[in-house]
Amino acid sequence: MAATEITSSEYIQHHLTNMTFGKLPDGSWGMAQSAAEAKAMGFWAIHLDSMFWSIGLAAIFLFFFMKAAKKASAGVPSGVVNFCEWIIEFIDTSVRGSFSHKNAMVAPLVLTVFAWVFLMNLMDLVPVDLIPRIAAEIGGLMGADPHHVYFKVVPSTDPNVTFAMALGVFILILFYSIKIKGMGGFIGELTGMPFETKNPLLKPIFMVINLVLEGVNLIAKPISLSLRLFGNMYAGEMIFILIALMYSGGVLLGTFGGALQFVWAVFHILVITLQAFIFITLTIVYLDMAHSEHH
Amino acid sequence: MNINLTLIAQLISFAVFVWFTMKFVWPPIMKALEERKAKIADGLAAAERGQHEQELAEKKAAERLHEAKQQAAEIVAKAEKRANEIVDDAKTDARTEGDRLVTAARAEIEQETNKAREVLREKVAELAVAGAEKILRKEINAAAHQDIVTALAKQI
């Protein structure tokens, strides 16, 4: 076990570092060998583990749903089709419940977000050391130092992933706000509320205040959306890592840790589903707001 | 915790996945669901219609049965009436025939009686003539007193 050679904080640090590909200090391109190196790479670096798992999981989701879509017919559904139809009906009900406009984009978007977030969160239930360990072995075989092969399995604990999704939703909010209300309408919504006045002198002042308030309101949407998911999953992952630390503390502590891990995993099943559900519900509500003339 | 190129890459992949779902996943499954909904609705409607038709048919059948029973009762009544009529007719016929026979028999009897009377009358006349002949012998000529004898016989 890694913890026998490194300290607990190093162990945690190791688990919280992504496999980052970017420009190394010596000027060549390659994997970051430490968290500090990964940080030093700046913006022009990419988290290979996050990319691999998020795209892989989305591919699994799309593969199954694609299969279901090909087999779907008005007849009696079975197996995969049945399961996919169940999910789709759930999404459809959610969208119909909160989204009162006509947009063929929203429901598929929500389905994608839900399935993707759920699957990414689900990776949290895989024992924390299992896949990083395998990755380290493979990395060792490929000539890298196994202790410096970083591998984060849960993509939703990478803020890049959650921010990217929230940003995608945010772009759609802006796009539909402007499309439905027009540029003027959208700006009017940002500046004309919540303070209104007929006084021409007060009006510009109010507009500035409104813009600040509504601007914060608008910016808060993607930030809260992504940080809520990221925070929950990051904290959950952290607790799994802390529990995993117990395994190096002897038989008694290890057994206790095992029981604790089981309990936390069962509880986490609720968390991962809930987080996926909250994400889609807020997405629907935000997009509904973007389509409505007034808040 | 570093924000880097991953964000952009994730954004692009997110867009691609949404596009894919929108293009290939959502519409076919949704279409299948709608079709099934329509099919089920049709089926239910058909079932209801069938039930309604069955009710109608049952009603019709009951009506027919009722009618048939009524007709049968009518026919039986008619047949009974006709049977009575036939019996009555037969009785009447029999009575008439009997009467006729009786009348005929009476007429024949009368005729026979008349004939017998005639014969008897003639015989009496002959006897009278024979008796008178015996009594009068010579004096009375049968031929000469024929009319007298006949008149006598008629009176008997």
Side-chain angles (χ1 to χ4, degrees), chain A residues 53-65 116 119, chain B residues 17:
Chain A
W53 283 112
S54 58
I55 292 174
L57 291 168
I60 290 171
F61 149 67
L62 290 175
F63 172 73
F64 274 105
F65 274 71
W116 206 19
L119 286 174
Chain B
F17 295 147

Side-chain angles (χ1 to χ4, degrees), chain B residues 32-72:
Chain B
L33 287 179
E34 295 295 328
E35 270 171 17
R36 186 175 315 140
K37 228 179 255 174
K39 212 170 148 185
I40 291 170
D42 284 354
L44 285 178
E48 206 159 306
R49 219 178 308 122
Q51 212 169 358
H52 188 66
E53 263 163 30
Q54 201 203 345
E55 264 167 34
L56 271 181
E58 264 173 19
K59 221 177 185 179
K60 221 179 215 173
E63 245 167 54
R64 279 272 163 83
L65 197 65
H66 187 69
E67 240 170 61
K69 268 185 189 162
Q70 227 167 4
Q71 258 174 14

Side-chain angles (χ1 to χ4, degrees), chain A residues 191-213:
Chain A
T191 56
M193 285 194 300
F195 299 115
E196 288 173 70
T197 179
K198 293 255 188 281
N199 190 331
L201 271 176
L202 276 173
K203 205 161 188 166
I205 304 168
F206 273 23
M207 274 170 79
V208 171
I209 297 171
N210 285 338
L211 185 61
V212 171
L213 286 173

